[in-house]
Amino acid sequence: MLVEQRVRELQQLLQNASYAYYVLDNPIMEDSVYDRLYRELQELETQYPHLVTPDSPTQRVGEKPATQFSSVRHNIPLYSLENAFNIDELKAWEQRWRRNAPGFVLKALEKDKGNKGDKEAQEQFKTQYSPTPNSQLPTPLYVCELKIDGSAIALTYENGLLARGVTRGDGVMGEDITQNVKTIRSIPLRLQVENPPPRVEVRGEAFLPLDVFEQINQERSQKGEPPFANPRNAAAGTLRQLDPRIVDKRRLDFFAYTLHVAGRDDASVYQTQWEALELLQQMGFKVNPHRQLCPTVQEVAEYYRYWDTERLNLPYMTDGAVVKINSLSLQEQLGFTQKFPRWAIALKYAAEEAPTRVEEIAVNVGRTGALTPMAIMRPVQLAGTTVSRATLHNSDRVAQLDIRVGDTAIVRKAGEIIPEVVRVLPELRPAGTQPFQMPTHCPTCSQPVIKEGAVTRCVNASCPSILKGALEHWVSRDALDINGMGEKLVHQLVDRGVVDSVADLYNLNAEKLMQLERMGQKSAEKLVQAIAASKTKPWSRVLYGLGIRHVGSVNAQVLTQKFFTVEQLAAAKTTDIESVYGIGAEIAHSVYDWFRIPANQSLIARLQAAGLQLAGEAVEESRQNDASLPLAGKTFVITGTLPTLKRDEAKELIQKAGGKVTDSVSKKTDYLVVGEEAGSKLDKAQKLGISILSEAQLLEMASS
């Protein structure tokens, strides 16, 4: 009993010391004392292994490297933030959410018509949130936080213990890096609160302090290894190291900025973003100390301007300010667009510029055949990254800049935008330089090019560069998402003549793939499986993957909701296509023209023969009118985590059975399908008297 008591005492002492050192930046014991106590705990836990607990300080660093990271689904999606690059764009964002707010909240408040109390609530909201100068908005309205230039992480705590750490990934799926996360001393292994909630989700940014980044690069240079380009890339690369001992040596730090507590609506734990940040601190997290409450957008602008200069004195990199509406209730009511939360925005700092010398002007050929001139430059540090290439857009831009090999050019990069040349300094131009001329023949296939306005284009459908671009687009995440089919492999397939069309991918087998460089039997078999799995991707993803000019992923979804099959879209007139909401004349003509080309018609026939989905998996409207289907005419909402079905799978099941799935509960909802950790939707459904279903009951109804 005395040994167990000593082990628990040592664990608590070391946890307190670590929290004081890494989070509070206020050490409470000397390093030598910490080391002695740590060694004593190690010896006791080795002698009595049954006393080791998951949150013990000795469990931060794993003994064995991982063989790979598994891909996992986020419990709560990690959305990107919309960007603003100046105060005018910030004000425009504020006007948008104010203008939208009444509609969203009135919809949420909607009850029986004629309800007096409901009308009073609506009028109260109109008065409070109307975008008039005299409106009385909640004070303070905004929370401003520095946007840390690192790598986003999602943390899950179960009963107070760190259970999982996941990279952001694509926001829906990420990689499980729990062992690496445990090496970050500013992330608590156990929440520092009594009686923690059953589940807590924390979002934050892992980053490398600048002094640590410089030290790592010095060590890499001494070993003859290439230095990291910037702290952000170094942090992201460190998190994906298979050996947690390497991660531990790199001394990553962490700021927490988002908190989700299961059952928060019922428990009323916190009501604002500011309170959430304070609660994160109480739980043992490091929260950026430079956050600020701002009653109006004017104060936000002052905060932004102040840190535009002061950020140079920070010990870490920041590239802007994150502005969030403070009220969590208003956040919930505003909700999300397809990509971003409506209640937050990243206010980025102005583009950084730097001079460098142009060493070459190359020309790239893209998947649409467009020839894009590219300045190859002496490498220069720009906005935290090493830049050696910058786009020159097209021949008109080249002529406007009068850029030449040997020129000193000013290069700019804003946010995640590709670096571009802003201007050249002709006074520094060497003698004897010649103006650059766009090629008259394709640099890849040597066929003559044509000029379409400012764009120079190769129109040879067999051009290897066009084919490579088309294949890279086809296998990309938003299209057919063929895992393992990277750029190098695509280039090999084209250069060796194995593939002449995206349809040829579906004729590949393991034997053909094993003839390529660095392609073993197991890798080849996995790739064949990934190609086969892409056949199940929906019609909208196939349409986007075809790479029709001006048809992005969102436009593809809109078009496939109107044209349920490829035959319907191929037969449509431009006026039919243009009549679809959100589709303009340029897109309509592009789609119409694409389907008139014989080679494209042949491609569609080959994809159909290969088994691709060129029709809607479920034509919702027609199914809902089919009275023979078990769920015809019924409206469902899904909430919580279901035992076996993913959200998309449950939605597809309902739609195939003739039902309709919506996101919000209303009096028109027939059934609420409930899983674990159901939120406020369950409360609302119960108040409205809506029938509640388990997954098992849903499966039984759908199969009856």
Side-chain angles (χ1 to χ4, degrees):
M1 187 64 182
L2 290 176
V3 172
E4 182 177 355
Q5 184 177 351
R6 180 55 177 167
V7 167
R8 302 294 176 250
E9 181 182 31
L10 287 169
Q11 289 176 345
Q12 191 62 55
L13 281 170
L14 293 170
Q15 286 169 356
N16 292 342
S18 183
Y19 174 71
Y21 185 90
Y22 291 104
V23 177
L24 301 181
D25 197 21
N26 184 25
I28 59 175
M29 66 174 63
E30 297 293 330
D31 289 350
S32 59
V33 176
Y34 183 95
D35 292 340
R36 181 175 58 80
L37 295 176
Y38 186 90
R39 197 175 306 114
E40 181 185 351
L41 176 62
Q42 263 187 327
E43 291 171 355
L44 287 173
E45 289 183 343
T46 301
Q47 191 174 356
Y48 304 96
H50 65 282
L51 297 179
V52 178
T53 59
D55 61 323
S56 174
T58 62
Q59 301 305 298
R60 280 199 175 272
V61 184
E63 293 299 322
K64 295 182 179 179
T67 56
Q68 62 180 6
F69 295 119
S70 59
S71 182
V72 297
R73 181 177 294 272
H74 288 294
N75 296 322
I76 301 170
L78 275 73
Y79 283 83
S80 301
L81 290 178
E82 182 181 0
N83 288 331
F85 291 94
N86 54 56
I87 302 304
D88 287 339
E89 292 182 3
L90 173 70
K91 291 178 179 178
W93 166 77
E94 183 184 52
Q95 290 173 357
R96 284 197 303 276
W97 79 252
R98 285 199 190 189
R99 186 167 56 247
N100 285 332
F104 284 101
V105 177
L106 292 180
K107 185 177 181 180
L109 292 173
E110 187 180 83
K111 295 180 181 178
D112 294 334
K113 292 183 179 179
N115 184 305
K116 182 178 179 182
D118 186 46
K119 287 184 177 180
E120 288 177 355
Q122 294 176 10
E123 290 303 321
Q124 180 182 358
F125 184 85
K126 287 180 180 178
T127 302
Q128 188 176 13
Y129 291 109
S130 63
T132 59
N134 298 323
S135 62
Q136 296 297 314
L137 293 165
T139 302
L141 182 57
Y142 297 114
V143 174
C144 290
E145 305 165 52
L146 292 180
K147 187 177 183 298
I148 308 303
D149 204 12
S151 187
I153 296 178
L155 306 174
T156 301
Y157 287 80
E158 294 179 353
N159 298 316
L161 289 176
L162 177 62
R164 194 174 79 167
V166 183
T167 62
R168 183 187 184 280
D170 63 1
V172 177
M173 302 290 292
E175 290 182 310
D176 190 331
I177 55 166
T178 305
Q179 292 306 313
N180 288 348
V181 164
K182 286 183 176 181
T183 70
I184 304 176
R185 295 323 203 251
S186 47
I187 293 178
L189 299 179
R190 177 187 289 275
L191 299 179
Q192 304 293 311
V193 291
E194 294 184 7
N195 301 317
R199 173 173 284 184
V200 172
E201 299 282 338
V202 176
R203 304 287 183 265
E205 201 83 2
F207 64 95
L208 275 176
L210 291 174
D211 60 341
V212 176
F213 172 71
E214 292 171 2
Q215 181 181 341
I216 290 172
N217 269 351
Q218 287 177 1
E219 292 172 355
R220 291 177 68 85
S221 297
Q222 291 170 359
K223 295 177 182 178
E225 299 174 347
F228 288 116
N230 56 62
R232 179 181 64 245
N233 290 349
T238 298
L239 286 172
R240 297 191 74 256
Q241 284 285 332
L242 293 175
D243 190 343
R245 291 169 294 189
I246 297 176
V247 183
D248 184 49
K249 290 179 181 179
R250 294 206 179 149
R251 292 180 289 162
L252 286 167
D253 209 339
F254 180 81
F255 280 130
Y257 53 68
T258 299
L259 173 65
H260 298 281
V261 175
R264 181 188 66 81
D265 292 340
D266 297 332
S268 299
V269 179
Y270 53 98
Q271 301 300 324
T272 66
Q273 169 67 8
W274 189 263
E275 291 172 354
L277 293 173
E278 291 183 330
L279 183 54
L280 281 167
Q281 280 190 305
Q282 295 172 25
M283 289 178 168
F285 291 95
K286 180 185 285 189
V287 177
N288 193 276
H290 303 300
R291 62 192 184 279
Q292 182 175 315
L293 287 165
C294 295
T296 67
V297 76
Q298 285 73 28
E299 280 83 355
V300 173
E302 291 174 8
Y303 175 93
Y304 170 73
R305 293 189 187 103
Y306 174 81
W307 284 108
D308 193 11
T309 54
E310 285 299 311
R311 64 191 171 113
L312 301 176
N313 299 319
L314 292 170
Y316 45 81
M317 288 192 67
T318 174
D319 58 353
V322 175
V323 185
K324 300 176 183 175
I325 291 176
N326 193 27
S327 167
L328 297 184
S329 175
L330 185 52
Q331 285 187 16
E332 185 176 350
Q333 291 159 355
L334 287 170
F336 299 81
T337 67
Q338 188 177 359
K339 294 183 179 180
F340 312 116
R342 293 187 176 90
W343 42 265
I345 195 165
L347 185 54
K348 296 293 215 46
Y349 289 119
E352 186 178 318
E353 297 181 351
T356 186
R357 184 177 295 277
V358 179
E359 297 180 338
E360 179 188 352
I361 298 178
V363 177
N364 294 332
V365 183
R367 64 180 176 86
T368 64
L371 274 60
T372 303
M374 182 78 65
I376 312 299
M377 309 166 299
R378 183 173 298 168
V380 62
Q381 282 290 315
L382 185 64
T385 60
T386 301
V387 172
S388 60
R389 293 169 175 261
T391 181
L392 298 172
H393 299 292
N394 52 50
S395 59
D396 286 1
R397 181 59 176 161
V398 170
Q400 183 183 32
L401 291 168
D402 187 24
I403 188 169
R404 309 180 185 188
V405 174
D407 273 347
T408 298
I410 304 298
V411 188
R412 173 174 69 188
K413 184 181 181 184
E416 298 303 319
I417 298 173
I418 298 173
E420 64 175 353
V421 174
V422 182
R423 61 187 182 279
V424 299
L425 304 178
E427 61 272 19
L428 301 180
R429 177 174 290 162
T433 60
Q434 298 295 320
F436 175 77
Q437 299 291 331
M438 288 291 288
T440 58
H441 290 70
C442 175
T444 302
C445 67
S446 301
Q447 294 298 307
V449 297
I450 63 170
K451 192 86 167 10
E452 296 179 347
V455 178
T456 304
R457 193 180 304 279
C458 174
V459 292
N460 175 20
S462 301
C463 176
S465 287
I466 295 176
L467 177 57
K468 289 175 182 177
L471 286 168
E472 289 171 14
H473 178 71
W474 179 265
V475 305
S476 66
R477 179 176 293 166
D478 290 338
L480 278 296
D481 192 19
I482 300 179
N483 189 29
M485 183 74 74
E487 178 183 336
K488 291 182 179 178
L489 183 56
V490 165
H491 285 213
Q492 278 197 73
L493 290 170
V494 175
D495 292 341
R496 295 193 179 196
V498 179
V499 170
D500 293 321
S501 160
V502 295
D504 290 335
L505 294 176
Y506 299 92
N507 296 327
L508 293 176
N509 54 39
E511 289 72 21
K512 288 182 181 179
L513 290 170
M514 287 170 60
Q515 298 173 13
L516 304 177
E517 295 177 8
R518 299 183 180 181
M519 181 62 68
Q521 181 175 350
K522 188 173 291 186
S523 298
E525 290 173 350
K526 282 186 177 180
L527 185 55
V528 170
Q529 292 172 2
I531 293 171
S534 73
K535 295 180 182 181
T536 64
K537 292 294 187 290
W539 162 217
S540 61
R541 299 275 286 270
V542 177
L543 177 59
Y544 173 64
L546 292 174
I548 301 173
R549 289 178 64 191
H550 311 305
V551 177
S553 57
V554 175
N555 290 333
Q557 290 179 352
V558 171
L559 286 168
T560 55
Q561 287 169 5
K562 173 67 175 178
F563 302 100
F564 299 130
T565 67
V566 69
E567 289 83 6
Q568 291 178 4
L569 184 58
K573 300 176 182 177
T574 54
T575 53
D576 298 330
I577 302 171
E578 194 176 346
S579 68
V580 178
Y581 180 78
I583 302 297
E586 189 174 33
I587 298 173
H589 282 283
S590 180
V591 172
Y592 179 84
D593 292 341
W594 192 91
F595 280 103
R596 307 278 82 73
I597 298 173
N600 294 337
Q601 296 168 3
S602 175
L603 172 62
I604 293 297
R606 292 186 63 195
L607 292 175
Q608 281 181 316
L612 274 293
Q613 302 296 317
L614 293 166
E617 184 70 19
V619 181
E620 190 174 334
E621 293 180 5
S622 62
R623 287 183 180 270
Q624 290 172 22
N625 294 327
D626 186 350
S628 65
L629 294 174
L631 304 184
K634 301 299 182 183
T635 300
F636 294 76
V637 174
I638 306 169
T639 185
T641 303
L642 301 179
T644 63
L645 293 175
K646 296 178 181 178
R647 185 70 62 91
D648 290 343
E649 292 171 342
K651 182 177 180 180
E652 183 179 0
L653 173 75
I654 292 168
Q655 290 174 339
K656 283 185 175 181
K660 178 182 179 182
V661 181
T662 62
D663 292 328
S664 57
V665 174
S666 72
K667 61 183 180 181
K668 297 180 180 179
T669 304
D670 294 297
Y671 297 99
L672 178 70
V673 183
V674 176
E676 291 184 6
E677 298 183 13
S680 57
K681 290 178 182 178
L682 176 58
D683 293 336
K684 188 170 183 180
Q686 290 171 336
K687 290 177 183 178
L688 293 174
I690 292 167
S691 298
I692 309 299
L693 297 178
S694 66
E695 179 189 287
Q697 291 171 319
L698 171 65
L699 291 169
E700 184 179 353
M701 285 182 63
S703 61
S704 61

